[in-house]
Amino acid sequence: MLATLSGFFLGFFIVLFILVSIIMVLIILIQKGRGGGLASAFGGSGGNTAFGSKTGDVLTWATSIIFGIFLLLAIILNLITR
């Protein structure tokens, strides 16, 4: 029974880790960098964004939170697989 429960948690955390990784990649690609980011590549201008004028602050905050979750999940997966 313990092996089944451990396998369930391992699978759950792997799926969660993959989802968080995809979300983090998408958030990073949306951000406007020195080159303009992916948002400007599709015709978006710097001032007219879908999320308002403070999009950079929100995306920076969201990236930090998602990275913290990513790091925590990586540590948990490391401890589970030992």
Side-chain angles (χ1 to χ4, degrees), residues 33-57:
R34 291 183 184 159
L38 189 63
S40 65
F42 292 114
S45 63
N48 298 329
T49 60
F51 302 110
S53 61
K54 295 286 186 178
T55 306
D57 297 336

Short mmCIF file of all heavy atoms in Angstrom, two decimals, residues 33-57:
data_model
loop_
_atom_site.label_atom_id
_atom_site.label_comp_id
_atom_site.label_asym_id
_atom_site.label_seq_id
_atom_site.Cartn_x
_atom_site.Cartn_y
_atom_site.Cartn_z
N GLY A 33 11.45 42.15 -23.07
CA GLY A 33 12.85 42.28 -22.73
C GLY A 33 13.49 43.40 -23.52
O GLY A 33 12.82 44.30 -24.02
N ARG A 34 14.77 43.33 -23.68
CA ARG A 34 15.48 44.35 -24.45
C ARG A 34 15.07 44.32 -25.92
O ARG A 34 15.03 45.33 -26.58
CB ARG A 34 16.98 44.14 -24.34
CG ARG A 34 17.51 44.44 -22.97
CD ARG A 34 19.00 44.30 -22.94
NE ARG A 34 19.48 44.51 -21.58
CZ ARG A 34 20.61 44.09 -21.13
NH1 ARG A 34 21.42 43.40 -21.92
NH2 ARG A 34 20.98 44.32 -19.90
N GLY A 35 14.80 43.12 -26.42
CA GLY A 35 14.43 42.98 -27.82
C GLY A 35 12.96 43.19 -28.09
O GLY A 35 12.51 43.10 -29.21
N GLY A 36 12.15 43.41 -27.07
CA GLY A 36 10.73 43.63 -27.27
C GLY A 36 9.87 42.47 -26.82
O GLY A 36 8.69 42.64 -26.60
N GLY A 37 10.43 41.30 -26.68
CA GLY A 37 9.68 40.15 -26.20
C GLY A 37 8.78 39.54 -27.26
O GLY A 37 8.66 40.04 -28.38
N LEU A 38 8.14 38.48 -26.90
CA LEU A 38 7.26 37.77 -27.83
C LEU A 38 5.99 38.57 -28.09
O LEU A 38 5.41 38.47 -29.16
CB LEU A 38 6.92 36.39 -27.26
CG LEU A 38 6.19 35.43 -28.17
CD1 LEU A 38 7.05 35.10 -29.37
CD2 LEU A 38 5.84 34.17 -27.44
N ALA A 39 5.56 39.38 -27.13
CA ALA A 39 4.34 40.16 -27.31
C ALA A 39 4.48 41.13 -28.46
O ALA A 39 3.55 41.33 -29.24
CB ALA A 39 4.00 40.89 -26.02
N SER A 40 5.63 41.76 -28.60
CA SER A 40 5.80 42.72 -29.69
C SER A 40 6.07 42.02 -31.02
O SER A 40 5.91 42.62 -32.08
CB SER A 40 6.93 43.69 -29.37
OG SER A 40 8.15 43.02 -29.31
N ALA A 41 6.48 40.78 -30.99
CA ALA A 41 6.73 40.05 -32.23
C ALA A 41 5.43 39.79 -32.98
O ALA A 41 5.43 39.65 -34.20
CB ALA A 41 7.43 38.72 -31.94
N PHE A 42 4.32 39.75 -32.26
CA PHE A 42 3.02 39.52 -32.89
C PHE A 42 2.24 40.81 -33.07
O PHE A 42 1.03 40.79 -33.21
CB PHE A 42 2.20 38.52 -32.07
CG PHE A 42 2.77 37.14 -32.09
CD1 PHE A 42 3.28 36.56 -30.94
CD2 PHE A 42 2.81 36.42 -33.27
CE1 PHE A 42 3.81 35.30 -30.97
CE2 PHE A 42 3.35 35.15 -33.30
CZ PHE A 42 3.85 34.59 -32.14
N GLY A 43 2.93 41.95 -33.04
CA GLY A 43 2.27 43.21 -33.33
C GLY A 43 1.80 43.98 -32.12
O GLY A 43 1.19 45.03 -32.27
N GLY A 44 2.05 43.48 -30.92
CA GLY A 44 1.65 44.21 -29.72
C GLY A 44 2.59 45.37 -29.47
O GLY A 44 3.79 45.26 -29.64
N SER A 45 2.05 46.51 -29.10
CA SER A 45 2.91 47.65 -28.80
C SER A 45 3.14 47.73 -27.30
O SER A 45 2.42 47.13 -26.52
CB SER A 45 2.26 48.94 -29.31
OG SER A 45 1.04 49.16 -28.65
N GLY A 46 4.15 48.49 -26.91
CA GLY A 46 4.52 48.57 -25.51
C GLY A 46 3.46 49.18 -24.62
O GLY A 46 3.25 48.76 -23.50
N GLY A 47 2.75 50.21 -25.09
CA GLY A 47 1.79 50.90 -24.25
C GLY A 47 0.42 50.27 -24.23
O GLY A 47 -0.32 50.38 -23.26
N ASN A 48 0.02 49.62 -25.30
CA ASN A 48 -1.30 49.04 -25.40
C ASN A 48 -1.23 47.54 -25.16
O ASN A 48 -1.08 46.77 -26.09
CB ASN A 48 -1.91 49.32 -26.78
CG ASN A 48 -2.08 50.79 -27.04
OD1 ASN A 48 -2.31 51.55 -26.10
ND2 ASN A 48 -1.96 51.19 -28.30
N THR A 49 -1.32 47.15 -23.91
CA THR A 49 -1.27 45.73 -23.58
C THR A 49 -2.63 45.27 -23.11
O THR A 49 -3.47 46.08 -22.68
CB THR A 49 -0.23 45.45 -22.48
OG1 THR A 49 -0.59 46.18 -21.31
CG2 THR A 49 1.16 45.86 -22.92
N ALA A 50 -2.86 44.00 -23.18
CA ALA A 50 -4.15 43.45 -22.78
C ALA A 50 -4.35 43.51 -21.26
O ALA A 50 -5.47 43.50 -20.79
CB ALA A 50 -4.24 41.99 -23.25
N PHE A 51 -3.27 43.59 -20.50
CA PHE A 51 -3.37 43.56 -19.05
C PHE A 51 -3.15 44.92 -18.41
O PHE A 51 -3.06 45.03 -17.21
CB PHE A 51 -2.36 42.56 -18.47
CG PHE A 51 -2.54 41.18 -19.02
CD1 PHE A 51 -1.60 40.64 -19.88
CD2 PHE A 51 -3.65 40.42 -18.69
CE1 PHE A 51 -1.77 39.37 -20.39
CE2 PHE A 51 -3.82 39.15 -19.18
CZ PHE A 51 -2.88 38.62 -20.04
N GLY A 52 -3.04 45.97 -19.18
CA GLY A 52 -2.85 47.30 -18.63
C GLY A 52 -1.41 47.76 -18.77
O GLY A 52 -0.57 47.08 -19.34
N SER A 53 -1.14 48.95 -18.23
CA SER A 53 0.19 49.54 -18.41
C SER A 53 1.22 48.99 -17.44
O SER A 53 2.40 49.20 -17.62
CB SER A 53 0.10 51.06 -18.26
OG SER A 53 -0.36 51.38 -16.96
N LYS A 54 0.80 48.33 -16.38
CA LYS A 54 1.72 47.77 -15.38
C LYS A 54 1.98 46.29 -15.61
O LYS A 54 2.25 45.55 -14.68
CB LYS A 54 1.15 47.97 -13.97
CG LYS A 54 1.03 49.41 -13.56
CD LYS A 54 2.39 49.94 -13.24
CE LYS A 54 2.27 51.35 -12.69
NZ LYS A 54 3.54 51.91 -12.33
N THR A 55 1.92 45.87 -16.85
CA THR A 55 2.09 44.44 -17.16
C THR A 55 3.46 43.93 -16.76
O THR A 55 3.58 42.82 -16.28
CB THR A 55 1.88 44.21 -18.67
OG1 THR A 55 0.62 44.74 -19.03
CG2 THR A 55 1.91 42.75 -19.01
N GLY A 56 4.49 44.74 -16.94
CA GLY A 56 5.84 44.31 -16.58
C GLY A 56 5.98 43.98 -15.11
O GLY A 56 6.59 42.98 -14.75
N ASP A 57 5.37 44.79 -14.25
CA ASP A 57 5.44 44.53 -12.82
C ASP A 57 4.70 43.24 -12.45
O ASP A 57 5.18 42.45 -11.65
CB ASP A 57 4.85 45.70 -12.04
CG ASP A 57 5.63 46.98 -12.25
OD1 ASP A 57 6.82 46.89 -12.59
OD2 ASP A 57 5.04 48.06 -12.09
#
